[in-house]
Amino acid sequence: QSTWGLRILFSKYFFFISVKKAKVMSNFVRKHLVVIQHGMWGTKADTSILAEQIINQIPHSVVLNSTANQFLNTYHGIDVCGQRLVEEVKSFLAGCEPNSISKISFIGYSAGGLFCRYAIALLDSQKIFDTIQPDHFITVATPHLGIRHSSNDPVGRVWNKTTNVSHFYGGRSAYQMALLDYSDGENFRFPLLVDLSLPQSAYVIALKKFRRILFYANAKNDRSVNYCSASISPFNPYKDSSPPPALNENYPSIIAETRIDLENSNSSNDQQLTPRTVRRSSTLSAATTVAGAVALSPILVAHAAIVFGPMKLISWMSDPGEVPQTGRPQSSRDLSSTEEQLNDSGEFQLDRFPALIRDSLVQLPITRVVCYFTELNTHGVIISRRFWNKNGKQVVSHICSNLAGDEQQQ
């Protein structure tokens, strides 16, 4: 009888333990990690409103608002900044409870989107995505095609001349965004932004693992990243036209949302980064440009001395010295024949790189979201970078709505 009594006692004990464990497991909810990366010269304060809204609106979310590349650290190169972001993400995951993170999403603002595109390839190569599902990859006003403008108009040519000294005001990162890193001093090769977009590259393979990819772009007045570069489009249909009505009254500044790979793109316009349609004659445009340049030259010289001088000093002070090895794979195609890359003036044909990037990326299931604001400079507005950028909060809500809506459906 004592033996049977002990058996009954132990069976009740183990039943109680198993029920308690079942209750604990039922209360255990795996989290969705959302990694946010700010842009050039930025800090996590630039994306703090986005981070707060994600926490408030998305159930079971955990936000990592990156601090690895703040201010001076953004000068060091897309690859270096991407490597820092990888180390920060891995460190964050190491501090979480085992198996507590089920999904991961990335939101990159401005150049931060390029940092994220580099980082996900390294994370994928380290098998992070084998145990954590890649969910959303979102960029906001990111220069996917670089920071060069079309050489078809005088203003674009003047701007492109300034990008030739981009390292002067933006360090190695701006140099890469200007597509000038096509040579290591001896051999020609594709710039990093082209490598990021090649179909068989580790970067695109990692990007395709995300369930949804969204590129947000300003339709006009973005003084840092033009529409074509942010939306990987060959031209800007909104430049000289009135905006179409909003798609949803809850988001009055969202005027278009389309799947890029499903569009019937016209490849004949690939070399254009801006529309050819101009409201005034080309003679008047050129004359106006020259007259404006002459009138503004004293201001431009003063601006260069006051602003670019200190920025160059900052860039020099923040120089990491020897660039660390970041695991960047070799380009699948080298520019072996230099003569083929030169135009009639003996200059390198940089204008072909944005078209090459676009041709690769438009094959991916990317959703382009177009935002229309009336502010004079919309680059900070779109992400509500400052508290006075109130109109941008609707874009932030739209991002959260995409994430939260998907959470509710699952």
mmCIF file of all heavy atoms in Angstrom, residues 13-57:
data_model
loop_
_atom_site.group_PDB
_atom_site.id
_atom_site.type_symbol
_atom_site.label_atom_id
_atom_site.label_comp_id
_atom_site.label_asym_id
_atom_site.label_seq_id
_atom_site.Cartn_x
_atom_site.Cartn_y
_atom_site.Cartn_z
ATOM 1 N N TYR A 13 2.461 14.931 -8.358
ATOM 2 C CA TYR A 13 3.502 15.963 -8.366
ATOM 3 C C TYR A 13 3.932 16.266 -9.799
ATOM 4 O O TYR A 13 4.006 17.431 -10.215
ATOM 5 C CB TYR A 13 4.705 15.491 -7.545
ATOM 6 C CG TYR A 13 5.905 16.396 -7.670
ATOM 7 C CD1 TYR A 13 5.968 17.613 -6.986
ATOM 8 C CD2 TYR A 13 6.986 16.034 -8.485
ATOM 9 C CE1 TYR A 13 7.064 18.439 -7.108
ATOM 10 C CE2 TYR A 13 8.086 16.856 -8.611
ATOM 11 C CZ TYR A 13 8.126 18.060 -7.913
ATOM 12 O OH TYR A 13 9.215 18.888 -8.050
ATOM 13 N N PHE A 14 4.202 15.208 -10.567
ATOM 14 C CA PHE A 14 4.660 15.411 -11.944
ATOM 15 C C PHE A 14 3.557 15.997 -12.817
ATOM 16 O O PHE A 14 3.822 16.767 -13.739
ATOM 17 C CB PHE A 14 5.175 14.098 -12.540
ATOM 18 C CG PHE A 14 6.519 13.699 -12.024
ATOM 19 C CD1 PHE A 14 6.690 12.545 -11.286
ATOM 20 C CD2 PHE A 14 7.627 14.507 -12.264
ATOM 21 C CE1 PHE A 14 7.929 12.193 -10.794
ATOM 22 C CE2 PHE A 14 8.880 14.152 -11.788
ATOM 23 C CZ PHE A 14 9.038 12.993 -11.037
ATOM 24 N N PHE A 15 2.295 15.634 -12.531
ATOM 25 C CA PHE A 15 1.176 16.229 -13.271
ATOM 26 C C PHE A 15 1.099 17.717 -12.985
ATOM 27 O O PHE A 15 0.899 18.537 -13.897
ATOM 28 C CB PHE A 15 -0.137 15.546 -12.866
ATOM 29 C CG PHE A 15 -1.355 16.173 -13.507
ATOM 30 C CD1 PHE A 15 -1.651 15.920 -14.830
ATOM 31 C CD2 PHE A 15 -2.174 17.030 -12.766
ATOM 32 C CE1 PHE A 15 -2.771 16.508 -15.422
ATOM 33 C CE2 PHE A 15 -3.282 17.609 -13.355
ATOM 34 C CZ PHE A 15 -3.582 17.346 -14.681
ATOM 35 N N PHE A 16 1.298 18.124 -11.717
ATOM 36 C CA PHE A 16 1.269 19.531 -11.342
ATOM 37 C C PHE A 16 2.397 20.304 -12.042
ATOM 38 O O PHE A 16 2.191 21.396 -12.562
ATOM 39 C CB PHE A 16 1.414 19.659 -9.819
ATOM 40 C CG PHE A 16 1.578 21.082 -9.352
ATOM 41 C CD1 PHE A 16 0.500 21.949 -9.281
ATOM 42 C CD2 PHE A 16 2.837 21.563 -8.987
ATOM 43 C CE1 PHE A 16 0.664 23.249 -8.860
ATOM 44 C CE2 PHE A 16 3.010 22.866 -8.567
ATOM 45 C CZ PHE A 16 1.915 23.714 -8.495
ATOM 46 N N ILE A 17 3.603 19.699 -12.091
ATOM 47 C CA ILE A 17 4.749 20.349 -12.734
ATOM 48 C C ILE A 17 4.497 20.523 -14.228
ATOM 49 O O ILE A 17 4.784 21.560 -14.818
ATOM 50 C CB ILE A 17 6.034 19.539 -12.495
ATOM 51 C CG1 ILE A 17 6.409 19.579 -11.004
ATOM 52 C CG2 ILE A 17 7.174 20.081 -13.352
ATOM 53 C CD1 ILE A 17 6.735 20.967 -10.493
ATOM 54 N N SER A 18 3.962 19.475 -14.874
ATOM 55 C CA SER A 18 3.721 19.541 -16.320
ATOM 56 C C SER A 18 2.669 20.592 -16.652
ATOM 57 O O SER A 18 2.797 21.303 -17.646
ATOM 58 C CB SER A 18 3.290 18.167 -16.845
ATOM 59 O OG SER A 18 2.065 17.767 -16.246
ATOM 60 N N VAL A 19 1.628 20.707 -15.836
ATOM 61 C CA VAL A 19 0.604 21.730 -16.058
ATOM 62 C C VAL A 19 1.193 23.115 -15.888
ATOM 63 O O VAL A 19 0.923 24.035 -16.672
ATOM 64 C CB VAL A 19 -0.581 21.524 -15.086
ATOM 65 C CG1 VAL A 19 -1.526 22.723 -15.142
ATOM 66 C CG2 VAL A 19 -1.323 20.248 -15.432
ATOM 67 N N LYS A 20 2.049 23.292 -14.868
ATOM 68 C CA LYS A 20 2.681 24.592 -14.623
ATOM 69 C C LYS A 20 3.579 24.977 -15.798
ATOM 70 O O LYS A 20 3.575 26.125 -16.253
ATOM 71 C CB LYS A 20 3.495 24.523 -13.330
ATOM 72 C CG LYS A 20 4.049 25.881 -12.905
ATOM 73 C CD LYS A 20 4.736 25.789 -11.548
ATOM 74 C CE LYS A 20 5.251 27.163 -11.128
ATOM 75 N NZ LYS A 20 5.931 27.095 -9.811
ATOM 76 N N LYS A 21 4.352 23.988 -16.334
ATOM 77 C CA LYS A 21 5.209 24.275 -17.487
ATOM 78 C C LYS A 21 4.385 24.628 -18.705
ATOM 79 O O LYS A 21 4.740 25.516 -19.487
ATOM 80 C CB LYS A 21 6.085 23.058 -17.798
ATOM 81 C CG LYS A 21 7.239 22.871 -16.834
ATOM 82 C CD LYS A 21 8.122 21.713 -17.278
ATOM 83 C CE LYS A 21 9.325 21.571 -16.361
ATOM 84 N NZ LYS A 21 10.197 20.445 -16.784
ATOM 85 N N ALA A 22 3.253 23.952 -18.887
ATOM 86 C CA ALA A 22 2.387 24.234 -20.036
ATOM 87 C C ALA A 22 1.854 25.653 -19.964
ATOM 88 O O ALA A 22 1.771 26.362 -20.966
ATOM 89 C CB ALA A 22 1.235 23.237 -20.088
ATOM 90 N N LYS A 23 1.498 26.111 -18.741
ATOM 91 C CA LYS A 23 0.998 27.464 -18.570
ATOM 92 C C LYS A 23 2.082 28.486 -18.882
ATOM 93 O O LYS A 23 1.847 29.509 -19.518
ATOM 94 C CB LYS A 23 0.482 27.666 -17.143
ATOM 95 C CG LYS A 23 -0.818 26.943 -16.856
ATOM 96 C CD LYS A 23 -1.305 27.240 -15.439
ATOM 97 C CE LYS A 23 -2.635 26.554 -15.171
ATOM 98 N NZ LYS A 23 -3.115 26.850 -13.792
ATOM 99 N N VAL A 24 3.313 28.190 -18.425
ATOM 100 C CA VAL A 24 4.427 29.097 -18.701
ATOM 101 C C VAL A 24 4.689 29.178 -20.199
ATOM 102 O O VAL A 24 4.893 30.261 -20.754
ATOM 103 C CB VAL A 24 5.701 28.633 -17.956
ATOM 104 C CG1 VAL A 24 6.900 29.442 -18.416
ATOM 105 C CG2 VAL A 24 5.508 28.771 -16.452
ATOM 106 N N MET A 25 4.675 28.030 -20.896
ATOM 107 C CA MET A 25 4.914 28.015 -22.338
ATOM 108 C C MET A 25 3.816 28.746 -23.080
ATOM 109 O O MET A 25 4.064 29.413 -24.095
ATOM 110 C CB MET A 25 5.015 26.567 -22.847
ATOM 111 C CG MET A 25 6.257 25.841 -22.361
ATOM 112 S SD MET A 25 7.780 26.653 -22.906
ATOM 113 C CE MET A 25 7.669 26.390 -24.666
ATOM 114 N N SER A 26 2.569 28.632 -22.597
ATOM 115 C CA SER A 26 1.476 29.332 -23.270
ATOM 116 C C SER A 26 1.596 30.838 -23.120
ATOM 117 O O SER A 26 1.134 31.593 -23.968
ATOM 118 C CB SER A 26 0.131 28.858 -22.709
ATOM 119 O OG SER A 26 0.008 29.226 -21.335
ATOM 120 N N ASN A 27 2.237 31.299 -22.045
ATOM 121 C CA ASN A 27 2.433 32.735 -21.826
ATOM 122 C C ASN A 27 3.697 33.254 -22.499
ATOM 123 O O ASN A 27 3.921 34.462 -22.544
ATOM 124 C CB ASN A 27 2.495 33.043 -20.323
ATOM 125 C CG ASN A 27 1.163 32.796 -19.632
ATOM 126 O OD1 ASN A 27 0.112 32.968 -20.244
ATOM 127 N ND2 ASN A 27 1.217 32.385 -18.371
ATOM 128 N N PHE A 28 4.517 32.353 -23.015
ATOM 129 C CA PHE A 28 5.768 32.746 -23.652
ATOM 130 C C PHE A 28 5.485 33.143 -25.091
ATOM 131 O O PHE A 28 5.055 32.325 -25.904
ATOM 132 C CB PHE A 28 6.776 31.604 -23.600
ATOM 133 C CG PHE A 28 8.093 31.925 -24.253
ATOM 134 C CD1 PHE A 28 9.020 32.730 -23.611
ATOM 135 C CD2 PHE A 28 8.393 31.438 -25.516
ATOM 136 C CE1 PHE A 28 10.229 33.028 -24.206
ATOM 137 C CE2 PHE A 28 9.604 31.720 -26.116
ATOM 138 C CZ PHE A 28 10.519 32.527 -25.451
ATOM 139 N N VAL A 29 5.695 34.424 -25.402
ATOM 140 C CA VAL A 29 5.431 34.947 -26.744
ATOM 141 C C VAL A 29 6.755 35.339 -27.374
ATOM 142 O O VAL A 29 7.515 36.130 -26.811
ATOM 143 C CB VAL A 29 4.490 36.170 -26.690
ATOM 144 C CG1 VAL A 29 4.259 36.716 -28.097
ATOM 145 C CG2 VAL A 29 3.171 35.797 -26.040
ATOM 146 N N ARG A 30 7.038 34.787 -28.527
ATOM 147 C CA ARG A 30 8.268 35.140 -29.225
ATOM 148 C C ARG A 30 8.111 36.517 -29.847
ATOM 149 O O ARG A 30 7.050 36.889 -30.350
ATOM 150 C CB ARG A 30 8.586 34.086 -30.276
ATOM 151 C CG ARG A 30 8.768 32.689 -29.702
ATOM 152 C CD ARG A 30 9.249 31.715 -30.753
ATOM 153 N NE ARG A 30 10.632 31.983 -31.115
ATOM 154 C CZ ARG A 30 11.243 31.370 -32.128
ATOM 155 N NH1 ARG A 30 10.585 30.513 -32.889
ATOM 156 N NH2 ARG A 30 12.502 31.651 -32.406
ATOM 157 N N LYS A 31 9.182 37.276 -29.834
ATOM 158 C CA LYS A 31 9.129 38.685 -30.199
ATOM 159 C C LYS A 31 9.583 38.933 -31.639
ATOM 160 O O LYS A 31 10.264 38.133 -32.251
ATOM 161 C CB LYS A 31 10.026 39.489 -29.237
ATOM 162 C CG LYS A 31 9.676 39.338 -27.761
ATOM 163 C CD LYS A 31 8.349 39.963 -27.424
ATOM 164 C CE LYS A 31 8.057 39.878 -25.936
ATOM 165 N NZ LYS A 31 9.008 40.656 -25.128
ATOM 166 N N HIS A 32 9.155 40.092 -32.123
ATOM 167 C CA HIS A 32 9.544 40.570 -33.454
ATOM 168 C C HIS A 32 10.554 41.700 -33.252
ATOM 169 O O HIS A 32 10.218 42.766 -32.750
ATOM 170 C CB HIS A 32 8.301 41.071 -34.196
ATOM 171 C CG HIS A 32 8.572 41.572 -35.579
ATOM 172 N ND1 HIS A 32 7.566 42.052 -36.399
ATOM 173 C CD2 HIS A 32 9.719 41.683 -36.301
ATOM 174 C CE1 HIS A 32 8.088 42.431 -37.552
ATOM 175 N NE2 HIS A 32 9.396 42.224 -37.510
ATOM 176 N N LEU A 33 11.794 41.475 -33.651
ATOM 177 C CA LEU A 33 12.840 42.487 -33.501
ATOM 178 C C LEU A 33 12.842 43.403 -34.723
ATOM 179 O O LEU A 33 12.961 42.938 -35.860
ATOM 180 C CB LEU A 33 14.210 41.822 -33.348
ATOM 181 C CG LEU A 33 15.431 42.748 -33.356
ATOM 182 C CD1 LEU A 33 15.357 43.765 -32.218
ATOM 183 C CD2 LEU A 33 16.723 41.946 -33.279
ATOM 184 N N VAL A 34 12.726 44.702 -34.482
ATOM 185 C CA VAL A 34 12.769 45.700 -35.548
ATOM 186 C C VAL A 34 14.035 46.535 -35.358
ATOM 187 O O VAL A 34 14.193 47.224 -34.350
ATOM 188 C CB VAL A 34 11.526 46.612 -35.529
ATOM 189 C CG1 VAL A 34 11.589 47.617 -36.680
ATOM 190 C CG2 VAL A 34 10.253 45.783 -35.631
ATOM 191 N N VAL A 35 14.943 46.442 -36.313
ATOM 192 C CA VAL A 35 16.214 47.167 -36.267
ATOM 193 C C VAL A 35 16.073 48.442 -37.091
ATOM 194 O O VAL A 35 15.690 48.387 -38.266
ATOM 195 C CB VAL A 35 17.366 46.303 -36.816
ATOM 196 C CG1 VAL A 35 18.683 47.077 -36.757
ATOM 197 C CG2 VAL A 35 17.466 44.997 -36.035
ATOM 198 N N ILE A 36 16.389 49.587 -36.495
ATOM 199 C CA ILE A 36 16.281 50.878 -37.167
ATOM 200 C C ILE A 36 17.664 51.503 -37.277
ATOM 201 O O ILE A 36 18.408 51.562 -36.293
ATOM 202 C CB ILE A 36 15.340 51.833 -36.398
ATOM 203 C CG1 ILE A 36 13.963 51.193 -36.216
ATOM 204 C CG2 ILE A 36 15.206 53.164 -37.129
ATOM 205 C CD1 ILE A 36 13.020 52.030 -35.374
ATOM 206 N N GLN A 37 18.013 51.966 -38.488
ATOM 207 C CA GLN A 37 19.313 52.582 -38.721
ATOM 208 C C GLN A 37 19.121 53.977 -39.323
ATOM 209 O O GLN A 37 18.507 54.125 -40.367
ATOM 210 C CB GLN A 37 20.145 51.727 -39.661
ATOM 211 C CG GLN A 37 21.474 52.344 -40.070
ATOM 212 C CD GLN A 37 22.408 52.587 -38.912
ATOM 213 O OE1 GLN A 37 22.888 51.656 -38.283
ATOM 214 N NE2 GLN A 37 22.675 53.856 -38.610
ATOM 215 N N HIS A 38 19.647 55.000 -38.639
ATOM 216 C CA HIS A 38 19.577 56.373 -39.137
ATOM 217 C C HIS A 38 20.544 56.576 -40.287
ATOM 218 O O HIS A 38 21.255 55.651 -40.704
ATOM 219 C CB HIS A 38 19.887 57.361 -38.005
ATOM 220 C CG HIS A 38 21.252 57.158 -37.410
ATOM 221 N ND1 HIS A 38 22.404 57.547 -38.028
ATOM 222 C CD2 HIS A 38 21.643 56.564 -36.246
ATOM 223 C CE1 HIS A 38 23.451 57.234 -37.293
ATOM 224 N NE2 HIS A 38 23.025 56.620 -36.199
ATOM 225 N N GLY A 39 20.613 57.802 -40.806
ATOM 226 C CA GLY A 39 21.442 58.084 -41.967
ATOM 227 C C GLY A 39 22.697 58.868 -41.648
ATOM 228 O O GLY A 39 23.154 58.925 -40.499
ATOM 229 N N MET A 40 23.280 59.492 -42.695
ATOM 230 C CA MET A 40 24.530 60.230 -42.561
ATOM 231 C C MET A 40 24.416 61.368 -41.552
ATOM 232 O O MET A 40 23.403 62.051 -41.490
ATOM 233 C CB MET A 40 24.936 60.804 -43.917
ATOM 234 C CG MET A 40 25.457 59.780 -44.905
ATOM 235 S SD MET A 40 27.057 59.085 -44.406
ATOM 236 C CE MET A 40 28.127 60.515 -44.541
ATOM 237 N N TRP A 41 25.476 61.554 -40.771
ATOM 238 C CA TRP A 41 25.582 62.608 -39.760
ATOM 239 C C TRP A 41 24.499 62.496 -38.688
ATOM 240 O O TRP A 41 24.267 63.425 -37.939
ATOM 241 C CB TRP A 41 25.506 64.010 -40.396
ATOM 242 C CG TRP A 41 26.447 64.196 -41.531
ATOM 243 C CD1 TRP A 41 27.810 64.235 -41.491
ATOM 244 C CD2 TRP A 41 26.108 64.354 -42.914
ATOM 245 N NE1 TRP A 41 28.333 64.413 -42.747
ATOM 246 C CE2 TRP A 41 27.314 64.479 -43.641
ATOM 247 C CE3 TRP A 41 24.892 64.402 -43.606
ATOM 248 C CZ2 TRP A 41 27.343 64.647 -45.021
ATOM 249 C CZ3 TRP A 41 24.924 64.549 -44.981
ATOM 250 C CH2 TRP A 41 26.133 64.675 -45.676
ATOM 251 N N GLY A 42 23.830 61.360 -38.624
ATOM 252 C CA GLY A 42 22.673 61.247 -37.747
ATOM 253 C C GLY A 42 22.969 60.588 -36.414
ATOM 254 O O GLY A 42 24.063 60.102 -36.137
ATOM 255 N N THR A 43 21.933 60.564 -35.585
ATOM 256 C CA THR A 43 21.944 59.849 -34.314
ATOM 257 C C THR A 43 20.608 59.117 -34.185
ATOM 258 O O THR A 43 19.713 59.295 -35.015
ATOM 259 C CB THR A 43 22.113 60.800 -33.117
ATOM 260 O OG1 THR A 43 20.919 61.600 -32.980
ATOM 261 C CG2 THR A 43 23.321 61.711 -33.304
ATOM 262 N N LYS A 44 20.468 58.338 -33.144
ATOM 263 C CA LYS A 44 19.222 57.606 -32.966
ATOM 264 C C LYS A 44 18.050 58.538 -32.692
ATOM 265 O O LYS A 44 16.889 58.134 -32.844
ATOM 266 C CB LYS A 44 19.359 56.586 -31.837
ATOM 267 C CG LYS A 44 19.451 57.178 -30.438
ATOM 268 C CD LYS A 44 19.409 56.069 -29.396
ATOM 269 C CE LYS A 44 19.341 56.629 -27.985
ATOM 270 N NZ LYS A 44 19.232 55.552 -26.972
ATOM 271 N N ALA A 45 18.335 59.793 -32.332
ATOM 272 C CA ALA A 45 17.258 60.765 -32.133
ATOM 273 C C ALA A 45 16.505 61.032 -33.427
ATOM 274 O O ALA A 45 15.314 61.363 -33.409
ATOM 275 C CB ALA A 45 17.833 62.073 -31.579
ATOM 276 N N ASP A 46 17.187 60.878 -34.579
ATOM 277 C CA ASP A 46 16.531 61.117 -35.869
ATOM 278 C C ASP A 46 15.383 60.155 -36.116
ATOM 279 O O ASP A 46 14.439 60.485 -36.832
ATOM 280 C CB ASP A 46 17.553 60.981 -37.006
ATOM 281 C CG ASP A 46 18.616 62.061 -36.972
ATOM 282 O OD1 ASP A 46 18.469 63.015 -36.183
ATOM 283 O OD2 ASP A 46 19.596 61.949 -37.728
ATOM 284 N N THR A 47 15.480 58.964 -35.567
ATOM 285 C CA THR A 47 14.455 57.941 -35.794
ATOM 286 C C THR A 47 13.724 57.570 -34.496
ATOM 287 O O THR A 47 13.118 56.511 -34.410
ATOM 288 C CB THR A 47 15.095 56.678 -36.403
ATOM 289 O OG1 THR A 47 16.253 56.305 -35.631
ATOM 290 C CG2 THR A 47 15.544 56.935 -37.837
ATOM 291 N N SER A 48 13.790 58.447 -33.510
ATOM 292 C CA SER A 48 13.185 58.135 -32.209
ATOM 293 C C SER A 48 11.663 58.091 -32.278
ATOM 294 O O SER A 48 11.026 57.262 -31.617
ATOM 295 C CB SER A 48 13.630 59.163 -31.156
ATOM 296 O OG SER A 48 13.233 60.472 -31.526
ATOM 297 N N ILE A 49 11.056 58.969 -33.087
ATOM 298 C CA ILE A 49 9.594 58.966 -33.212
ATOM 299 C C ILE A 49 9.132 57.665 -33.851
ATOM 300 O O ILE A 49 8.137 57.060 -33.428
ATOM 301 C CB ILE A 49 9.117 60.185 -34.031
ATOM 302 C CG1 ILE A 49 9.383 61.474 -33.246
ATOM 303 C CG2 ILE A 49 7.644 60.066 -34.396
ATOM 304 C CD1 ILE A 49 9.013 62.748 -33.982
ATOM 305 N N LEU A 50 9.855 57.210 -34.873
ATOM 306 C CA LEU A 50 9.533 55.925 -35.500
ATOM 307 C C LEU A 50 9.656 54.789 -34.496
ATOM 308 O O LEU A 50 8.785 53.917 -34.414
ATOM 309 C CB LEU A 50 10.468 55.689 -36.684
ATOM 310 C CG LEU A 50 10.395 54.327 -37.363
ATOM 311 C CD1 LEU A 50 9.017 54.091 -37.948
ATOM 312 C CD2 LEU A 50 11.463 54.197 -38.440
ATOM 313 N N ALA A 51 10.729 54.793 -33.713
ATOM 314 C CA ALA A 51 10.935 53.728 -32.722
ATOM 315 C C ALA A 51 9.802 53.699 -31.695
ATOM 316 O O ALA A 51 9.288 52.622 -31.348
ATOM 317 C CB ALA A 51 12.283 53.925 -32.029
ATOM 318 N N GLU A 52 9.406 54.874 -31.225
ATOM 319 C CA GLU A 52 8.324 54.942 -30.229
ATOM 320 C C GLU A 52 7.015 54.430 -30.794
ATOM 321 O O GLU A 52 6.276 53.696 -30.118
ATOM 322 C CB GLU A 52 8.164 56.393 -29.755
ATOM 323 C CG GLU A 52 9.344 56.909 -28.942
ATOM 324 C CD GLU A 52 9.248 58.403 -28.676
ATOM 325 O OE1 GLU A 52 8.218 58.996 -29.100
ATOM 326 O OE2 GLU A 52 10.170 58.970 -28.077
ATOM 327 N N GLN A 53 6.703 54.813 -32.031
ATOM 328 C CA GLN A 53 5.442 54.391 -32.624
ATOM 329 C C GLN A 53 5.401 52.891 -32.879
ATOM 330 O O GLN A 53 4.352 52.255 -32.760
ATOM 331 C CB GLN A 53 5.199 55.157 -33.927
ATOM 332 C CG GLN A 53 4.912 56.638 -33.730
ATOM 333 C CD GLN A 53 3.716 56.868 -32.827
ATOM 334 O OE1 GLN A 53 2.655 56.269 -33.014
ATOM 335 N NE2 GLN A 53 3.889 57.711 -31.826
ATOM 336 N N ILE A 54 6.528 52.310 -33.245
ATOM 337 C CA ILE A 54 6.569 50.862 -33.456
ATOM 338 C C ILE A 54 6.270 50.128 -32.154
ATOM 339 O O ILE A 54 5.484 49.169 -32.119
ATOM 340 C CB ILE A 54 7.938 50.443 -34.019
ATOM 341 C CG1 ILE A 54 8.082 50.920 -35.465
ATOM 342 C CG2 ILE A 54 8.115 48.925 -33.950
ATOM 343 C CD1 ILE A 54 9.446 50.665 -36.056
ATOM 344 N N ILE A 55 6.887 50.577 -31.074
ATOM 345 C CA ILE A 55 6.651 49.950 -29.772
ATOM 346 C C ILE A 55 5.191 50.073 -29.367
ATOM 347 O O ILE A 55 4.586 49.132 -28.834
ATOM 348 C CB ILE A 55 7.562 50.589 -28.701
ATOM 349 C CG1 ILE A 55 9.027 50.259 -28.999
ATOM 350 C CG2 ILE A 55 7.182 50.107 -27.308
ATOM 351 C CD1 ILE A 55 10.005 50.976 -28.096
ATOM 352 N N ASN A 56 4.582 51.237 -29.654
ATOM 353 C CA ASN A 56 3.194 51.484 -29.250
ATOM 354 C C ASN A 56 2.178 50.767 -30.128
ATOM 355 O O ASN A 56 1.100 50.385 -29.648
ATOM 356 C CB ASN A 56 2.909 52.991 -29.270
ATOM 357 C CG ASN A 56 3.689 53.759 -28.210
ATOM 358 O OD1 ASN A 56 4.074 53.187 -27.184
ATOM 359 N ND2 ASN A 56 3.947 55.028 -28.446
ATOM 360 N N GLN A 57 2.496 50.590 -31.404
ATOM 361 C CA GLN A 57 1.482 50.104 -32.340
ATOM 362 C C GLN A 57 1.640 48.645 -32.750
ATOM 363 O O GLN A 57 0.682 48.040 -33.221
ATOM 364 C CB GLN A 57 1.492 50.970 -33.611
ATOM 365 C CG GLN A 57 1.113 52.419 -33.369
ATOM 366 C CD GLN A 57 1.002 53.207 -34.663
ATOM 367 O OE1 GLN A 57 0.613 52.681 -35.705
ATOM 368 N NE2 GLN A 57 1.344 54.488 -34.620
#
